[in-house]
Amino acid sequence: MSRDQTPPPDAPDASPLDAAVMAARWIRSAAVDEGRGRHWLANPDPDGRPAMSHEPASLYAGAAGIVLFFLELAATTGREEYLRDARAGARYLAATWRDQADLSLYHGLTGTVFALAEAGWATGDEEFTEQARAAADRVAESARPMEEGLGWSRDPAQRGDGGVALGLLYAAGILGVPAYTEVAAEAGRRIARMVVPGHLFGDCEDLPVDAVTPGFLSGTAGTAFLLARLYGMTGEDGFLEAARRGADFVRTVSVVAGRCAAVPHHLPQGRDLHYLGFCSGSAGVARMFYELHRVTGDPGDLDWTERLAHGVLNSGVPGRRTAGYWNTACQCCGAAGLVELFVGLWAATGREPYIEFARTLAGDLIAHATAHDGRGYRWYQAYRRLRPAEVTADTGYMIGAAGIGTALLHLHTAGLADRAHRVILLPDNPFPAIPVPAATLRP
């Protein structure tokens, strides 16, 4: 009997690994097999509506992210059936990537490159690697001359050119194509010429037209992360100077109280709204400061990483719901993204309060799982803060059960000490890929 055929444990008592296995059971119920491979419904509930327009191949909400989850579950459990799930999804991506018009990391082709490359690495299937390289070629070749440089769009943030460039940097290494690095660097040089990189006005849903977003996916912090990464890879001072300009802006607008810091969701109207999650809050912005610390060794950047973490620790979550930590469980804006932050910080620093808090967050996540029909765990949430009545459960990585299960797997791996293995971290995650402190590792 395979592991995910066992009776579902009561959610409050499930371990992180058991909860991830039960999430896989529910995701499997959403599988759609066709001649080109397998993708998954965004929401398999009867008459279920997904939280956003379905993207069957995307990293954010579709097959690319779910492939990553099954690759991780196979590596953690050693169960061949999960590797078969990942292969089926990768076959779909390999057969359909040419249909994708969006080039971005989270919603488009660059995310497919990442998933196919990881699938090729894990399975040894050269077809996945070859298709990843062909798709990455298309991304690189799609860069076009723009004012003051090269790019794909006018959006320098992670949701736009920043994410594409990060994906190409990753692809250059795992696929062995150094030319991708130069394309990413040239795009980065254009972004670095901005006075405040990533400083955009009013280009986000539900925001005023004059709002500025300092956060990660759609704002300054994510763009500064890219520039710090490029500095680490090229040694060009211009990248570091631009990353510092972005980081200085984020520090300037943040609220600081003692050892705690929080970042406004948008300015000037949302100065008192502080998201805690990845997309626009502390969990994402902390990645930018840690990347700066990683490439420069500056203790001030680590200090700011930890100030943001302490702000979360002292916020009262998960027991207390705040305006920036509402009824949401996912990687993008909810509890799973915070689990990733605190597992990563523990791996980077070895400080026990971080892993203890990750366990607290995970326990609360598991307690809120739903398994009423025996089909596995899912998480019902109000994905959009401004629409609290829209409660859905989704299968995808950044938006639903695949990403929540992945965060729980990373926490489980962090508990394996000298038996820990490499986990799959997205290109914008700067923390150790073996999620344990270096002092814990053994030869």
Side-chain angles (χ1 to χ4, degrees), residues 235-278:
E236 293 183 25
D237 289 339
F239 289 133
L240 180 58
E241 292 165 3
R244 288 283 181 217
R245 293 199 301 275
D248 288 346
F249 171 73
V250 173
R251 272 195 293 263
T252 299
V253 302
S254 294
V255 174
V256 179
R259 288 285 298 145
C260 300
V263 181
H265 180 266
H266 61 281
L267 299 164
Q269 303 89 345
R271 184 173 293 279
D272 296 325
L273 174 60
H274 306 291
Y275 275 31
L276 301 186
F278 163 74

mmCIF file of all heavy atoms in Angstrom, residues 235-278:
data_model
loop_
_atom_site.group_PDB
_atom_site.id
_atom_site.type_symbol
_atom_site.label_atom_id
_atom_site.label_comp_id
_atom_site.label_asym_id
_atom_site.label_seq_id
_atom_site.Cartn_x
_atom_site.Cartn_y
_atom_site.Cartn_z
ATOM 1 N N GLY A 235 30.373 40.722 -9.909
ATOM 2 C CA GLY A 235 31.313 41.617 -9.239
ATOM 3 C C GLY A 235 31.236 43.050 -9.704
ATOM 4 O O GLY A 235 32.077 43.876 -9.310
ATOM 5 N N GLU A 236 30.222 43.405 -10.512
ATOM 6 C CA GLU A 236 30.104 44.772 -11.015
ATOM 7 C C GLU A 236 29.562 45.697 -9.925
ATOM 8 O O GLU A 236 28.464 45.492 -9.403
ATOM 9 C CB GLU A 236 29.181 44.818 -12.233
ATOM 10 C CG GLU A 236 29.742 44.110 -13.452
ATOM 11 C CD GLU A 236 28.835 44.239 -14.665
ATOM 12 O OE1 GLU A 236 28.055 45.228 -14.722
ATOM 13 O OE2 GLU A 236 28.897 43.364 -15.549
ATOM 14 N N ASP A 237 30.312 46.733 -9.606
ATOM 15 C CA ASP A 237 29.925 47.638 -8.529
ATOM 16 C C ASP A 237 28.599 48.338 -8.794
ATOM 17 O O ASP A 237 27.862 48.673 -7.858
ATOM 18 C CB ASP A 237 31.015 48.685 -8.310
ATOM 19 C CG ASP A 237 32.265 48.095 -7.683
ATOM 20 O OD1 ASP A 237 32.166 47.008 -7.059
ATOM 21 O OD2 ASP A 237 33.343 48.711 -7.824
ATOM 22 N N GLY A 238 28.274 48.573 -10.076
ATOM 23 C CA GLY A 238 27.024 49.249 -10.397
ATOM 24 C C GLY A 238 25.807 48.498 -9.894
ATOM 25 O O GLY A 238 24.810 49.114 -9.485
ATOM 26 N N PHE A 239 25.880 47.173 -9.912
ATOM 27 C CA PHE A 239 24.762 46.383 -9.402
ATOM 28 C C PHE A 239 24.619 46.567 -7.889
ATOM 29 O O PHE A 239 23.513 46.724 -7.375
ATOM 30 C CB PHE A 239 24.942 44.908 -9.739
ATOM 31 C CG PHE A 239 24.757 44.578 -11.191
ATOM 32 C CD1 PHE A 239 25.671 43.776 -11.870
ATOM 33 C CD2 PHE A 239 23.654 45.057 -11.888
ATOM 34 C CE1 PHE A 239 25.498 43.465 -13.204
ATOM 35 C CE2 PHE A 239 23.468 44.754 -13.237
ATOM 36 C CZ PHE A 239 24.390 43.963 -13.894
ATOM 37 N N LEU A 240 25.715 46.551 -7.179
ATOM 38 C CA LEU A 240 25.646 46.708 -5.728
ATOM 39 C C LEU A 240 25.157 48.105 -5.363
ATOM 40 O O LEU A 240 24.329 48.268 -4.451
ATOM 41 C CB LEU A 240 27.006 46.440 -5.102
ATOM 42 C CG LEU A 240 27.067 46.562 -3.573
ATOM 43 C CD1 LEU A 240 26.069 45.618 -2.905
ATOM 44 C CD2 LEU A 240 28.480 46.306 -3.070
ATOM 45 N N GLU A 241 25.645 49.115 -6.064
ATOM 46 C CA GLU A 241 25.207 50.485 -5.768
ATOM 47 C C GLU A 241 23.701 50.630 -5.974
ATOM 48 O O GLU A 241 23.005 51.262 -5.167
ATOM 49 C CB GLU A 241 25.969 51.465 -6.652
ATOM 50 C CG GLU A 241 27.457 51.558 -6.310
ATOM 51 C CD GLU A 241 28.252 52.242 -7.406
ATOM 52 O OE1 GLU A 241 27.638 52.688 -8.409
ATOM 53 O OE2 GLU A 241 29.492 52.326 -7.272
ATOM 54 N N ALA A 242 23.178 50.037 -7.045
ATOM 55 C CA ALA A 242 21.740 50.123 -7.313
ATOM 56 C C ALA A 242 20.947 49.326 -6.282
ATOM 57 O O ALA A 242 19.882 49.764 -5.827
ATOM 58 C CB ALA A 242 21.444 49.617 -8.717
ATOM 59 N N ALA A 243 21.448 48.146 -5.915
ATOM 60 C CA ALA A 243 20.765 47.354 -4.880
ATOM 61 C C ALA A 243 20.711 48.122 -3.568
ATOM 62 O O ALA A 243 19.691 48.105 -2.854
ATOM 63 C CB ALA A 243 21.473 46.018 -4.694
ATOM 64 N N ARG A 244 21.784 48.818 -3.241
ATOM 65 C CA ARG A 244 21.810 49.622 -2.009
ATOM 66 C C ARG A 244 20.781 50.764 -2.084
ATOM 67 O O ARG A 244 20.147 51.097 -1.075
ATOM 68 C CB ARG A 244 23.210 50.192 -1.789
ATOM 69 C CG ARG A 244 24.241 49.163 -1.359
ATOM 70 C CD ARG A 244 24.053 48.829 0.091
ATOM 71 N NE ARG A 244 25.035 47.862 0.554
ATOM 72 C CZ ARG A 244 24.760 46.909 1.414
ATOM 73 N NH1 ARG A 244 23.529 46.774 1.894
ATOM 74 N NH2 ARG A 244 25.686 46.074 1.819
ATOM 75 N N ARG A 245 20.617 51.361 -3.234
ATOM 76 C CA ARG A 245 19.617 52.430 -3.362
ATOM 77 C C ARG A 245 18.219 51.887 -3.075
ATOM 78 O O ARG A 245 17.414 52.507 -2.384
ATOM 79 C CB ARG A 245 19.665 53.070 -4.746
ATOM 80 C CG ARG A 245 20.934 53.857 -5.035
ATOM 81 C CD ARG A 245 20.740 54.828 -6.191
ATOM 82 N NE ARG A 245 20.346 54.179 -7.435
ATOM 83 C CZ ARG A 245 21.181 53.634 -8.316
ATOM 84 N NH1 ARG A 245 22.496 53.646 -8.067
ATOM 85 N NH2 ARG A 245 20.745 53.091 -9.426
ATOM 86 N N GLY A 246 17.944 50.704 -3.631
ATOM 87 C CA GLY A 246 16.652 50.089 -3.355
ATOM 88 C C GLY A 246 16.488 49.731 -1.895
ATOM 89 O O GLY A 246 15.433 49.998 -1.290
ATOM 90 N N ALA A 247 17.514 49.133 -1.297
ATOM 91 C CA ALA A 247 17.440 48.753 0.113
ATOM 92 C C ALA A 247 17.299 49.974 1.008
ATOM 93 O O ALA A 247 16.562 49.947 2.005
ATOM 94 C CB ALA A 247 18.682 47.943 0.494
ATOM 95 N N ASP A 248 17.996 51.053 0.667
ATOM 96 C CA ASP A 248 17.900 52.281 1.466
ATOM 97 C C ASP A 248 16.481 52.842 1.428
ATOM 98 O O ASP A 248 15.968 53.345 2.441
ATOM 99 C CB ASP A 248 18.893 53.323 0.968
ATOM 100 C CG ASP A 248 20.335 52.969 1.316
ATOM 101 O OD1 ASP A 248 20.540 52.063 2.157
ATOM 102 O OD2 ASP A 248 21.253 53.594 0.735
ATOM 103 N N PHE A 249 15.847 52.761 0.262
ATOM 104 C CA PHE A 249 14.463 53.226 0.169
ATOM 105 C C PHE A 249 13.557 52.390 1.076
ATOM 106 O O PHE A 249 12.720 52.934 1.820
ATOM 107 C CB PHE A 249 13.973 53.153 -1.275
ATOM 108 C CG PHE A 249 12.499 53.406 -1.430
ATOM 109 C CD1 PHE A 249 11.989 54.686 -1.282
ATOM 110 C CD2 PHE A 249 11.625 52.360 -1.696
ATOM 111 C CE1 PHE A 249 10.622 54.919 -1.418
ATOM 112 C CE2 PHE A 249 10.260 52.588 -1.828
ATOM 113 C CZ PHE A 249 9.761 53.869 -1.686
ATOM 114 N N VAL A 250 13.730 51.068 1.040
ATOM 115 C CA VAL A 250 12.901 50.202 1.881
ATOM 116 C C VAL A 250 13.121 50.515 3.356
ATOM 117 O O VAL A 250 12.166 50.608 4.141
ATOM 118 C CB VAL A 250 13.197 48.721 1.577
ATOM 119 C CG1 VAL A 250 12.459 47.807 2.561
ATOM 120 C CG2 VAL A 250 12.794 48.381 0.146
ATOM 121 N N ARG A 251 14.375 50.706 3.749
ATOM 122 C CA ARG A 251 14.649 51.038 5.153
ATOM 123 C C ARG A 251 14.009 52.368 5.540
ATOM 124 O O ARG A 251 13.462 52.517 6.636
ATOM 125 C CB ARG A 251 16.162 51.095 5.388
ATOM 126 C CG ARG A 251 16.786 49.763 5.744
ATOM 127 C CD ARG A 251 18.176 49.987 6.311
ATOM 128 N NE ARG A 251 19.068 50.504 5.290
ATOM 129 C CZ ARG A 251 19.915 49.753 4.573
ATOM 130 N NH1 ARG A 251 19.979 48.456 4.790
ATOM 131 N NH2 ARG A 251 20.672 50.287 3.661
ATOM 132 N N THR A 252 14.089 53.325 4.637
ATOM 133 C CA THR A 252 13.578 54.662 4.934
ATOM 134 C C THR A 252 12.080 54.658 5.194
ATOM 135 O O THR A 252 11.587 55.382 6.075
ATOM 136 C CB THR A 252 13.908 55.618 3.772
ATOM 137 O OG1 THR A 252 15.322 55.700 3.625
ATOM 138 C CG2 THR A 252 13.337 57.005 4.021
ATOM 139 N N VAL A 253 11.337 53.855 4.451
ATOM 140 C CA VAL A 253 9.877 53.876 4.589
ATOM 141 C C VAL A 253 9.366 52.889 5.627
ATOM 142 O O VAL A 253 8.171 52.884 5.950
ATOM 143 C CB VAL A 253 9.189 53.601 3.234
ATOM 144 C CG1 VAL A 253 9.624 54.631 2.203
ATOM 145 C CG2 VAL A 253 9.455 52.183 2.744
ATOM 146 N N SER A 254 10.242 52.047 6.170
ATOM 147 C CA SER A 254 9.809 51.028 7.122
ATOM 148 C C SER A 254 9.544 51.626 8.499
ATOM 149 O O SER A 254 10.065 52.691 8.855
ATOM 150 C CB SER A 254 10.871 49.928 7.240
ATOM 151 O OG SER A 254 10.993 49.214 6.030
ATOM 152 N N VAL A 255 8.740 50.903 9.261
ATOM 153 C CA VAL A 255 8.457 51.264 10.647
ATOM 154 C C VAL A 255 9.367 50.422 11.534
ATOM 155 O O VAL A 255 9.405 49.191 11.420
ATOM 156 C CB VAL A 255 6.985 50.996 10.995
ATOM 157 C CG1 VAL A 255 6.727 51.240 12.487
ATOM 158 C CG2 VAL A 255 6.073 51.860 10.134
ATOM 159 N N VAL A 256 10.131 51.066 12.411
ATOM 160 C CA VAL A 256 11.095 50.381 13.266
ATOM 161 C C VAL A 256 10.735 50.659 14.719
ATOM 162 O O VAL A 256 10.487 51.800 15.105
ATOM 163 C CB VAL A 256 12.536 50.857 12.981
ATOM 164 C CG1 VAL A 256 13.525 50.139 13.893
ATOM 165 C CG2 VAL A 256 12.888 50.622 11.514
ATOM 166 N N ALA A 257 10.705 49.585 15.511
ATOM 167 C CA ALA A 257 10.468 49.700 16.955
ATOM 168 C C ALA A 257 11.414 48.739 17.658
ATOM 169 O O ALA A 257 11.213 47.520 17.615
ATOM 170 C CB ALA A 257 9.013 49.374 17.299
ATOM 171 N N GLY A 258 12.464 49.274 18.239
ATOM 172 C CA GLY A 258 13.451 48.420 18.884
ATOM 173 C C GLY A 258 14.116 47.505 17.869
ATOM 174 O O GLY A 258 14.649 47.964 16.856
ATOM 175 N N ARG A 259 14.043 46.194 18.114
ATOM 176 C CA ARG A 259 14.656 45.207 17.211
ATOM 177 C C ARG A 259 13.688 44.722 16.143
ATOM 178 O O ARG A 259 13.983 43.771 15.422
ATOM 179 C CB ARG A 259 15.142 44.005 18.030
ATOM 180 C CG ARG A 259 16.364 44.281 18.864
ATOM 181 C CD ARG A 259 17.633 44.339 17.996
ATOM 182 N NE ARG A 259 17.879 43.065 17.335
ATOM 183 C CZ ARG A 259 18.398 42.938 16.120
ATOM 184 N NH1 ARG A 259 18.695 44.009 15.413
ATOM 185 N NH2 ARG A 259 18.620 41.737 15.608
ATOM 186 N N CYS A 260 12.532 45.368 16.024
ATOM 187 C CA CYS A 260 11.503 44.939 15.086
ATOM 188 C C CYS A 260 11.345 45.948 13.956
ATOM 189 O O CYS A 260 11.495 47.158 14.163
ATOM 190 C CB CYS A 260 10.160 44.758 15.792
ATOM 191 S SG CYS A 260 10.167 43.537 17.114
ATOM 192 N N ALA A 261 11.021 45.443 12.776
ATOM 193 C CA ALA A 261 10.730 46.319 11.641
ATOM 194 C C ALA A 261 9.575 45.729 10.846
ATOM 195 O O ALA A 261 9.352 44.513 10.848
ATOM 196 C CB ALA A 261 11.966 46.474 10.747
ATOM 197 N N ALA A 262 8.842 46.604 10.173
ATOM 198 C CA ALA A 262 7.759 46.202 9.280
ATOM 199 C C ALA A 262 7.733 47.150 8.101
ATOM 200 O O ALA A 262 8.067 48.331 8.224
ATOM 201 C CB ALA A 262 6.421 46.222 10.013
ATOM 202 N N VAL A 263 7.348 46.633 6.937
ATOM 203 C CA VAL A 263 7.368 47.400 5.691
ATOM 204 C C VAL A 263 5.942 47.730 5.271
ATOM 205 O O VAL A 263 5.077 46.842 5.263
ATOM 206 C CB VAL A 263 8.066 46.593 4.577
ATOM 207 C CG1 VAL A 263 8.111 47.400 3.282
ATOM 208 C CG2 VAL A 263 9.464 46.201 5.005
ATOM 209 N N PRO A 264 5.644 48.975 4.908
ATOM 210 C CA PRO A 264 4.297 49.301 4.424
ATOM 211 C C PRO A 264 3.977 48.551 3.135
ATOM 212 O O PRO A 264 4.849 48.327 2.287
ATOM 213 C CB PRO A 264 4.371 50.808 4.164
ATOM 214 C CG PRO A 264 5.533 51.293 4.962
ATOM 215 C CD PRO A 264 6.511 50.162 4.980
ATOM 216 N N HIS A 265 2.711 48.192 2.982
ATOM 217 C CA HIS A 265 2.280 47.521 1.757
ATOM 218 C C HIS A 265 2.389 48.454 0.560
ATOM 219 O O HIS A 265 2.871 48.056 -0.510
ATOM 220 C CB HIS A 265 0.838 47.031 1.905
ATOM 221 C CG HIS A 265 0.311 46.340 0.698
ATOM 222 N ND1 HIS A 265 -0.417 46.998 -0.279
ATOM 223 C CD2 HIS A 265 0.408 45.051 0.286
ATOM 224 C CE1 HIS A 265 -0.744 46.147 -1.239
ATOM 225 N NE2 HIS A 265 -0.268 44.953 -0.919
ATOM 226 N N HIS A 266 1.945 49.695 0.715
ATOM 227 C CA HIS A 266 2.098 50.690 -0.356
ATOM 228 C C HIS A 266 2.093 52.072 0.266
ATOM 229 O O HIS A 266 1.622 52.283 1.382
ATOM 230 C CB HIS A 266 1.007 50.550 -1.420
ATOM 231 C CG HIS A 266 -0.396 50.754 -0.915
ATOM 232 N ND1 HIS A 266 -1.098 49.777 -0.230
ATOM 233 C CD2 HIS A 266 -1.242 51.830 -0.994
ATOM 234 C CE1 HIS A 266 -2.292 50.228 0.076
ATOM 235 N NE2 HIS A 266 -2.406 51.471 -0.361
ATOM 236 N N LEU A 267 2.626 53.005 -0.497
ATOM 237 C CA LEU A 267 2.795 54.378 -0.016
ATOM 238 C C LEU A 267 2.137 55.352 -0.990
ATOM 239 O O LEU A 267 2.140 55.110 -2.205
ATOM 240 C CB LEU A 267 4.292 54.715 0.098
ATOM 241 C CG LEU A 267 5.109 53.853 1.079
ATOM 242 C CD1 LEU A 267 6.592 54.031 0.801
ATOM 243 C CD2 LEU A 267 4.777 54.225 2.504
ATOM 244 N N PRO A 268 1.610 56.473 -0.485
ATOM 245 C CA PRO A 268 1.535 56.843 0.929
ATOM 246 C C PRO A 268 0.298 56.310 1.627
ATOM 247 O O PRO A 268 0.190 56.363 2.834
ATOM 248 C CB PRO A 268 1.491 58.374 0.866
ATOM 249 C CG PRO A 268 0.748 58.656 -0.402
ATOM 250 C CD PRO A 268 1.179 57.590 -1.372
ATOM 251 N N GLN A 269 -0.675 55.762 0.862
ATOM 252 C CA GLN A 269 -1.979 55.459 1.439
ATOM 253 C C GLN A 269 -1.930 54.284 2.427
ATOM 254 O O GLN A 269 -2.703 54.243 3.384
ATOM 255 C CB GLN A 269 -2.977 55.126 0.314
ATOM 256 C CG GLN A 269 -3.121 56.227 -0.723
ATOM 257 C CD GLN A 269 -2.117 56.103 -1.868
ATOM 258 O OE1 GLN A 269 -1.140 55.371 -1.774
ATOM 259 N NE2 GLN A 269 -2.391 56.818 -2.951
ATOM 260 N N GLY A 270 -1.047 53.307 2.190
ATOM 261 C CA GLY A 270 -1.027 52.106 3.014
ATOM 262 C C GLY A 270 0.127 52.069 3.992
ATOM 263 O O GLY A 270 0.635 50.991 4.310
ATOM 264 N N ARG A 271 0.523 53.224 4.482
ATOM 265 C CA ARG A 271 1.686 53.285 5.369
ATOM 266 C C ARG A 271 1.478 52.455 6.633
ATOM 267 O O ARG A 271 2.432 51.916 7.198
ATOM 268 C CB ARG A 271 1.980 54.742 5.734
ATOM 269 C CG ARG A 271 3.243 54.918 6.573
ATOM 270 C CD ARG A 271 3.584 56.388 6.752
ATOM 271 N NE ARG A 271 3.978 57.015 5.502
ATOM 272 C CZ ARG A 271 5.198 56.929 4.972
ATOM 273 N NH1 ARG A 271 6.127 56.230 5.578
ATOM 274 N NH2 ARG A 271 5.471 57.540 3.840
ATOM 275 N N ASP A 272 0.248 52.311 7.083
ATOM 276 C CA ASP A 272 -0.025 51.563 8.310
ATOM 277 C C ASP A 272 -0.471 50.127 8.043
ATOM 278 O O ASP A 272 -0.862 49.423 8.979
ATOM 279 C CB ASP A 272 -1.099 52.287 9.135
ATOM 280 C CG ASP A 272 -0.638 53.658 9.609
ATOM 281 O OD1 ASP A 272 0.570 53.801 9.903
ATOM 282 O OD2 ASP A 272 -1.469 54.578 9.669
ATOM 283 N N LEU A 273 -0.425 49.699 6.796
ATOM 284 C CA LEU A 273 -0.790 48.319 6.442
ATOM 285 C C LEU A 273 0.489 47.522 6.217
ATOM 286 O O LEU A 273 1.233 47.780 5.267
ATOM 287 C CB LEU A 273 -1.652 48.312 5.174
ATOM 288 C CG LEU A 273 -1.999 46.930 4.597
ATOM 289 C CD1 LEU A 273 -2.772 46.088 5.600
ATOM 290 C CD2 LEU A 273 -2.778 47.084 3.286
ATOM 291 N N HIS A 274 0.756 46.559 7.083
ATOM 292 C CA HIS A 274 2.008 45.819 7.028
ATOM 293 C C HIS A 274 1.728 44.341 6.772
ATOM 294 O O HIS A 274 1.328 43.609 7.671
ATOM 295 C CB HIS A 274 2.782 45.985 8.344
ATOM 296 C CG HIS A 274 3.005 47.409 8.727
ATOM 297 N ND1 HIS A 274 3.844 48.237 8.027
ATOM 298 C CD2 HIS A 274 2.467 48.160 9.722
ATOM 299 C CE1 HIS A 274 3.846 49.439 8.581
ATOM 300 N NE2 HIS A 274 3.011 49.424 9.616
ATOM 301 N N TYR A 275 1.918 43.917 5.521
ATOM 302 C CA TYR A 275 1.808 42.491 5.221
ATOM 303 C C TYR A 275 2.966 41.758 5.906
ATOM 304 O O TYR A 275 4.079 42.287 6.021
ATOM 305 C CB TYR A 275 1.895 42.259 3.719
ATOM 306 C CG TYR A 275 0.602 42.409 2.955
ATOM 307 C CD1 TYR A 275 -0.399 43.293 3.372
ATOM 308 C CD2 TYR A 275 0.380 41.669 1.797
ATOM 309 C CE1 TYR A 275 -1.574 43.425 2.646
ATOM 310 C CE2 TYR A 275 -0.800 41.792 1.077
ATOM 311 C CZ TYR A 275 -1.773 42.666 1.508
ATOM 312 O OH TYR A 275 -2.937 42.800 0.793
ATOM 313 N N LEU A 276 2.709 40.530 6.324
ATOM 314 C CA LEU A 276 3.766 39.696 6.880
ATOM 315 C C LEU A 276 4.273 38.681 5.868
ATOM 316 O O LEU A 276 5.363 38.130 6.037
ATOM 317 C CB LEU A 276 3.270 38.973 8.131
ATOM 318 C CG LEU A 276 2.776 39.862 9.280
ATOM 319 C CD1 LEU A 276 2.465 39.004 10.503
ATOM 320 C CD2 LEU A 276 3.798 40.928 9.633
ATOM 321 N N GLY A 277 3.520 38.407 4.821
ATOM 322 C CA GLY A 277 3.843 37.334 3.890
ATOM 323 C C GLY A 277 4.918 37.673 2.878
ATOM 324 O O GLY A 277 5.610 38.692 2.968
ATOM 325 N N PHE A 278 5.021 36.820 1.872
ATOM 326 C CA PHE A 278 6.109 36.876 0.900
ATOM 327 C C PHE A 278 5.920 37.968 -0.141
ATOM 328 O O PHE A 278 6.830 38.729 -0.437
ATOM 329 C CB PHE A 278 6.220 35.510 0.214
ATOM 330 C CG PHE A 278 7.005 35.510 -1.060
ATOM 331 C CD1 PHE A 278 8.387 35.624 -1.036
ATOM 332 C CD2 PHE A 278 6.368 35.401 -2.282
ATOM 333 C CE1 PHE A 278 9.123 35.623 -2.214
ATOM 334 C CE2 PHE A 278 7.093 35.392 -3.465
ATOM 335 C CZ PHE A 278 8.469 35.509 -3.430
#
